[in-house]
Amino acid sequence: MWIRSTLAYRLSFAMTALGGLLVTGLDFVAILLMFSQVDALGGYTLPEIAFLYGLSATAFGIADLAIGSVDRLGRRVRDGTLDTLLVRPAPVLAQVAADRFALRRVARITQGSLVLGYALVAVDVDWTALKVLLVPVIVASGGVIFGAVFVAGAAFQFVAQDAAEAQSAFTYGGQTMLQYPPTVFGTELVRGVTFVFPLAFVNWVPAAYVLGRPYPLGLPEGAQFAPPLVAAVCCVLAGWAWRAGLRTYRSTGS
């Protein structure tokens, strides 16, 4: 329904999507401006950072398109309109994700894919069949991990009710952090996004293998293949948090 509504005004959609493409592209423009003054950032060259950027931006764009609407859940909890979703014969999470579905978010996927395409051509890597196959796995696993973070943040809104900004700190904020190499951040922060909120497995860890870089925190050999497993664990934990949050919902009482 929301897609048909959006495409009813095709020129408006095209202009909105183009605007989104330009706005999200400013993130990479900022990186280009940095490299107009330096040759490396945290020991990483521009193509290597473009590789990190493209992986994280594309993965996040997929999650944001598919399930990004869950950040509106707090509003439904506050005004009690979540009740209307509970009585429908469809999973509540699917309904929340489809609520006001914004097709314009495809612009973020497009922009991230363009940067990733540039990085794949420009980066100095001895490509093997395994590294080539690993790239789409990284993107897919990263999208699932970000999706799990979206769901976990939505589950927290059952309790906090007004935690959309806190959720954004781990979703949009996490994606922005992953655009840069782990070498520019403190050890404690890198440890937190590796073992507590495993965002490092979106791109830092598998990209280290592709680029021939040391793994963050000295992780063991084989860590590059962990993203699918981490994504599965994140989904299980996010599903548990969602069900626990949904059980706490008591409407507005009015």
Side-chain angles (χ1 to χ4, degrees):
M1 180 187 71
W2 286 109
I3 293 175
R4 291 180 61 186
S5 174
T6 298
L7 295 181
Y9 302 92
R10 297 182 183 275
L11 180 59
S12 175
F13 167 71
M15 294 176 63
T16 302
L18 179 60
L21 182 64
L22 295 176
V23 169
T24 55
L26 291 177
D27 285 343
F28 192 66
V29 170
I31 294 175
L32 293 177
L33 291 176
M34 292 182 193
F35 274 91
S36 67
Q37 304 298 321
V38 299
D39 296 325
L41 184 62
Y44 282 64
T45 63
L46 176 59
E48 289 175 325
I49 289 185
F51 184 63
L52 294 177
Y53 180 102
L55 291 174
S56 64
T58 306
F60 180 81
I62 294 171
D64 191 35
L65 175 66
I67 205 166
S69 295
V70 297
D71 60 5
R72 296 190 179 90
L73 180 67
R75 186 181 310 166
R76 283 192 172 275
V77 172
R78 289 195 303 275
D79 59 24
T81 55
L82 185 63
D83 295 0
T84 60
L85 306 185
L86 294 173
V87 298
R88 292 174 181 169
V92 177
L93 180 58
Q95 295 184 71
V96 173
D99 186 27
R100 305 189 70 84
F101 182 81
L103 187 60
R104 66 180 182 276
R105 290 172 177 164
V106 73
R108 188 182 296 273
I109 302 176
T110 303
Q111 187 264 337
S113 299
L114 290 174
V115 175
L116 180 59
Y118 155 75
L120 293 175
V121 173
V123 72
D124 184 16
V125 169
D126 182 17
W127 290 103
T128 63
L130 181 59
K131 290 183 178 180
V132 171
L133 293 174
L134 190 60
V135 171
V137 174
I138 296 172
V139 173
S141 300
V144 174
I145 292 173
F146 271 125
V149 175
F150 268 113
V151 173
F156 179 65
Q157 293 191 53
F158 281 111
V159 179
Q161 298 184 9
D162 193 15
E165 294 305 320
Q167 176 182 348
S168 296
F170 294 97
T171 51
Y172 292 91
Q175 189 268 329
T176 300
M177 180 184 67
L178 294 177
Q179 295 173 4
Y180 301 93
T183 50
V184 304
F185 300 103
T187 302
E188 294 304 320
L189 179 59
V190 175
R191 185 175 289 116
V193 296
T194 302
F195 300 113
V196 181
F197 295 97
L199 296 178
F201 291 92
V202 171
N203 64 347
W204 282 354
V205 175
Y209 169 76
V210 175
L211 299 175
R213 294 275 183 172
Y215 292 116
L217 304 175
L219 291 174
E221 187 69 29
Q224 71 271 18
F225 303 117
L229 177 60
V230 172
V233 172
C234 287
C235 284
V236 172
L237 294 177
W240 175 84
W242 172 262
R243 289 190 295 272
L246 191 60
R247 285 196 297 269
T248 67
Y249 178 67
R250 294 295 181 270
S251 191
T252 59
S254 60

Short mmCIF file of all heavy atoms in Angstrom, two decimals, residues 46-80:
data_model
loop_
_atom_site.label_atom_id
_atom_site.label_comp_id
_atom_site.label_asym_id
_atom_site.label_seq_id
_atom_site.Cartn_x
_atom_site.Cartn_y
_atom_site.Cartn_z
N LEU A 46 42.54 5.87 1.00
CA LEU A 46 41.17 6.23 0.59
C LEU A 46 40.39 5.04 0.03
O LEU A 46 39.25 4.81 0.44
CB LEU A 46 41.22 7.36 -0.44
CG LEU A 46 39.87 7.77 -1.03
CD1 LEU A 46 38.91 8.23 0.06
CD2 LEU A 46 40.05 8.87 -2.09
N PRO A 47 40.94 4.23 -0.90
CA PRO A 47 40.17 3.08 -1.38
C PRO A 47 39.81 2.09 -0.27
O PRO A 47 38.73 1.49 -0.30
CB PRO A 47 41.11 2.44 -2.42
CG PRO A 47 41.97 3.56 -2.88
CD PRO A 47 42.20 4.40 -1.67
N GLU A 48 40.70 1.92 0.70
CA GLU A 48 40.41 0.99 1.81
C GLU A 48 39.28 1.52 2.68
O GLU A 48 38.38 0.76 3.08
CB GLU A 48 41.67 0.77 2.64
CG GLU A 48 42.73 -0.05 1.93
CD GLU A 48 44.02 -0.15 2.73
OE1 GLU A 48 44.38 0.82 3.42
OE2 GLU A 48 44.67 -1.23 2.67
N ILE A 49 39.29 2.82 2.96
CA ILE A 49 38.19 3.39 3.74
C ILE A 49 36.91 3.40 2.92
O ILE A 49 35.82 3.20 3.46
CB ILE A 49 38.57 4.80 4.22
CG1 ILE A 49 39.64 4.70 5.31
CG2 ILE A 49 37.35 5.56 4.74
CD1 ILE A 49 40.02 6.01 5.96
N ALA A 50 37.02 3.62 1.62
CA ALA A 50 35.84 3.52 0.76
C ALA A 50 35.26 2.11 0.81
O ALA A 50 34.02 1.93 0.76
CB ALA A 50 36.21 3.89 -0.68
N PHE A 51 36.11 1.11 0.93
CA PHE A 51 35.65 -0.27 1.05
C PHE A 51 34.86 -0.45 2.35
O PHE A 51 33.77 -1.04 2.35
CB PHE A 51 36.84 -1.22 1.00
CG PHE A 51 36.48 -2.67 1.01
CD1 PHE A 51 35.74 -3.23 -0.01
CD2 PHE A 51 36.89 -3.50 2.05
CE1 PHE A 51 35.40 -4.58 -0.02
CE2 PHE A 51 36.57 -4.84 2.06
CZ PHE A 51 35.82 -5.39 1.03
N LEU A 52 35.41 0.06 3.46
CA LEU A 52 34.70 -0.01 4.74
C LEU A 52 33.37 0.75 4.65
O LEU A 52 32.33 0.28 5.11
CB LEU A 52 35.55 0.58 5.86
CG LEU A 52 36.84 -0.15 6.22
CD1 LEU A 52 37.59 0.62 7.31
CD2 LEU A 52 36.55 -1.56 6.70
N TYR A 53 33.44 1.92 4.07
CA TYR A 53 32.24 2.77 3.94
C TYR A 53 31.17 2.06 3.10
O TYR A 53 30.00 2.01 3.48
CB TYR A 53 32.63 4.10 3.29
CG TYR A 53 31.47 5.05 3.10
CD1 TYR A 53 31.27 6.11 3.96
CD2 TYR A 53 30.58 4.89 2.03
CE1 TYR A 53 30.21 7.00 3.78
CE2 TYR A 53 29.52 5.76 1.85
CZ TYR A 53 29.34 6.81 2.72
OH TYR A 53 28.28 7.67 2.55
N GLY A 54 31.58 1.54 1.94
CA GLY A 54 30.60 0.91 1.06
C GLY A 54 29.94 -0.29 1.69
O GLY A 54 28.72 -0.49 1.55
N LEU A 55 30.71 -1.11 2.41
CA LEU A 55 30.14 -2.28 3.08
C LEU A 55 29.11 -1.87 4.13
O LEU A 55 27.99 -2.39 4.17
CB LEU A 55 31.25 -3.11 3.72
CG LEU A 55 32.21 -3.85 2.79
CD1 LEU A 55 33.32 -4.50 3.60
CD2 LEU A 55 31.47 -4.90 1.97
N SER A 56 29.48 -0.93 5.00
CA SER A 56 28.59 -0.54 6.10
C SER A 56 27.37 0.21 5.58
O SER A 56 26.25 -0.02 6.04
CB SER A 56 29.34 0.31 7.12
OG SER A 56 29.77 1.53 6.56
N ALA A 57 27.57 1.11 4.62
CA ALA A 57 26.45 1.91 4.10
C ALA A 57 25.44 1.03 3.36
O ALA A 57 24.22 1.21 3.51
CB ALA A 57 26.97 3.01 3.18
N THR A 58 25.93 0.09 2.57
CA THR A 58 25.01 -0.79 1.83
C THR A 58 24.26 -1.71 2.78
O THR A 58 23.04 -1.90 2.65
CB THR A 58 25.79 -1.62 0.80
OG1 THR A 58 26.55 -0.76 -0.04
CG2 THR A 58 24.84 -2.44 -0.05
N ALA A 59 24.98 -2.29 3.75
CA ALA A 59 24.33 -3.18 4.71
C ALA A 59 23.30 -2.43 5.53
O ALA A 59 22.18 -2.91 5.74
CB ALA A 59 25.38 -3.81 5.63
N PHE A 60 23.67 -1.24 5.99
CA PHE A 60 22.72 -0.45 6.77
C PHE A 60 21.52 -0.03 5.93
O PHE A 60 20.38 -0.02 6.40
CB PHE A 60 23.41 0.79 7.35
CG PHE A 60 22.50 1.65 8.17
CD1 PHE A 60 22.22 1.31 9.49
CD2 PHE A 60 21.89 2.77 7.64
CE1 PHE A 60 21.37 2.09 10.26
CE2 PHE A 60 21.04 3.55 8.40
CZ PHE A 60 20.78 3.21 9.71
N GLY A 61 21.77 0.32 4.67
CA GLY A 61 20.67 0.72 3.80
C GLY A 61 19.66 -0.40 3.61
O GLY A 61 18.44 -0.15 3.59
N ILE A 62 20.13 -1.63 3.49
CA ILE A 62 19.22 -2.77 3.36
C ILE A 62 18.36 -2.93 4.61
O ILE A 62 17.14 -3.11 4.53
CB ILE A 62 20.02 -4.06 3.08
CG1 ILE A 62 20.71 -3.98 1.72
CG2 ILE A 62 19.12 -5.29 3.15
CD1 ILE A 62 21.68 -5.10 1.45
N ALA A 63 19.00 -2.84 5.78
CA ALA A 63 18.26 -2.97 7.03
C ALA A 63 17.29 -1.82 7.22
O ALA A 63 16.14 -2.01 7.65
CB ALA A 63 19.23 -3.04 8.21
N ASP A 64 17.73 -0.61 6.89
CA ASP A 64 16.89 0.57 7.06
C ASP A 64 15.67 0.51 6.15
O ASP A 64 14.56 0.87 6.55
CB ASP A 64 17.72 1.82 6.75
CG ASP A 64 17.02 3.11 7.16
OD1 ASP A 64 16.30 3.10 8.18
OD2 ASP A 64 17.17 4.12 6.45
N LEU A 65 15.86 0.03 4.93
CA LEU A 65 14.73 -0.10 4.00
C LEU A 65 13.75 -1.15 4.48
O LEU A 65 12.53 -0.95 4.46
CB LEU A 65 15.25 -0.46 2.61
CG LEU A 65 14.18 -0.74 1.54
CD1 LEU A 65 13.39 0.52 1.22
CD2 LEU A 65 14.83 -1.30 0.27
N ALA A 66 14.28 -2.28 4.94
CA ALA A 66 13.41 -3.41 5.29
C ALA A 66 12.70 -3.22 6.61
O ALA A 66 11.52 -3.59 6.75
CB ALA A 66 14.24 -4.70 5.34
N ILE A 67 13.38 -2.63 7.60
CA ILE A 67 12.81 -2.65 8.95
C ILE A 67 13.03 -1.33 9.71
O ILE A 67 12.75 -1.24 10.90
CB ILE A 67 13.41 -3.83 9.74
CG1 ILE A 67 12.49 -4.28 10.85
CG2 ILE A 67 14.82 -3.52 10.24
CD1 ILE A 67 12.85 -5.62 11.44
N GLY A 68 13.51 -0.31 9.00
CA GLY A 68 13.81 0.96 9.65
C GLY A 68 12.60 1.65 10.26
O GLY A 68 12.74 2.47 11.17
N SER A 69 11.40 1.31 9.81
CA SER A 69 10.20 1.96 10.34
C SER A 69 9.90 1.59 11.79
O SER A 69 9.04 2.22 12.41
CB SER A 69 8.98 1.61 9.47
OG SER A 69 9.13 2.15 8.17
N VAL A 70 10.60 0.60 12.34
CA VAL A 70 10.32 0.21 13.72
C VAL A 70 10.71 1.30 14.71
O VAL A 70 10.30 1.25 15.87
CB VAL A 70 11.06 -1.10 14.10
CG1 VAL A 70 10.58 -2.26 13.25
CG2 VAL A 70 12.57 -0.94 13.98
N ASP A 71 11.47 2.31 14.26
CA ASP A 71 11.83 3.37 15.20
C ASP A 71 10.64 4.26 15.55
O ASP A 71 10.73 5.10 16.45
CB ASP A 71 12.98 4.22 14.64
CG ASP A 71 12.65 4.89 13.31
OD1 ASP A 71 11.50 4.78 12.86
OD2 ASP A 71 13.57 5.51 12.72
N ARG A 72 9.50 4.04 14.87
CA ARG A 72 8.28 4.78 15.21
C ARG A 72 7.46 4.06 16.29
O ARG A 72 6.40 4.54 16.68
CB ARG A 72 7.40 4.97 13.97
CG ARG A 72 8.01 5.83 12.89
CD ARG A 72 6.96 6.16 11.83
NE ARG A 72 7.51 6.99 10.79
CZ ARG A 72 8.09 6.55 9.69
NH1 ARG A 72 8.18 5.25 9.49
NH2 ARG A 72 8.56 7.39 8.79
N LEU A 73 7.93 2.92 16.74
CA LEU A 73 7.15 2.12 17.68
C LEU A 73 6.85 2.88 18.97
O LEU A 73 5.75 2.75 19.53
CB LEU A 73 7.89 0.83 18.01
CG LEU A 73 7.18 -0.11 18.98
CD1 LEU A 73 5.91 -0.67 18.35
CD2 LEU A 73 8.10 -1.27 19.39
N GLY A 74 7.81 3.66 19.45
CA GLY A 74 7.60 4.39 20.70
C GLY A 74 6.37 5.27 20.66
O GLY A 74 5.63 5.38 21.64
N ARG A 75 6.12 5.89 19.52
CA ARG A 75 4.95 6.75 19.37
C ARG A 75 3.66 5.94 19.47
O ARG A 75 2.70 6.36 20.12
CB ARG A 75 5.01 7.47 18.03
CG ARG A 75 3.93 8.51 17.80
CD ARG A 75 4.08 9.14 16.42
NE ARG A 75 5.46 9.58 16.19
CZ ARG A 75 5.92 9.92 14.98
NH1 ARG A 75 5.12 9.83 13.92
NH2 ARG A 75 7.16 10.32 14.84
N ARG A 76 3.66 4.77 18.87
CA ARG A 76 2.46 3.91 18.95
C ARG A 76 2.24 3.40 20.38
O ARG A 76 1.10 3.25 20.81
CB ARG A 76 2.60 2.73 17.98
CG ARG A 76 2.35 3.09 16.53
CD ARG A 76 2.22 1.85 15.68
NE ARG A 76 1.80 2.14 14.33
CZ ARG A 76 0.54 2.29 13.93
NH1 ARG A 76 -0.44 2.21 14.83
NH2 ARG A 76 0.24 2.53 12.68
N VAL A 77 3.33 3.14 21.09
CA VAL A 77 3.19 2.69 22.47
C VAL A 77 2.63 3.82 23.34
O VAL A 77 1.76 3.60 24.19
CB VAL A 77 4.55 2.22 23.02
CG1 VAL A 77 4.47 1.93 24.52
CG2 VAL A 77 5.02 0.96 22.28
N ARG A 78 3.08 5.04 23.11
CA ARG A 78 2.63 6.17 23.91
C ARG A 78 1.16 6.48 23.69
O ARG A 78 0.42 6.78 24.64
CB ARG A 78 3.46 7.42 23.60
CG ARG A 78 4.88 7.36 24.10
CD ARG A 78 5.53 8.74 24.10
NE ARG A 78 5.51 9.36 22.79
CZ ARG A 78 6.42 9.15 21.85
NH1 ARG A 78 7.43 8.31 22.08
NH2 ARG A 78 6.35 9.77 20.68
N ASP A 79 0.70 6.45 22.43
CA ASP A 79 -0.70 6.84 22.17
C ASP A 79 -1.65 5.65 22.11
O ASP A 79 -2.86 5.82 21.88
CB ASP A 79 -0.81 7.67 20.89
CG ASP A 79 -0.31 6.93 19.64
OD1 ASP A 79 -0.31 5.69 19.64
OD2 ASP A 79 0.06 7.61 18.67
N GLY A 80 -1.14 4.42 22.27
CA GLY A 80 -2.01 3.26 22.33
C GLY A 80 -2.44 2.72 20.99
O GLY A 80 -3.23 1.76 20.94
#
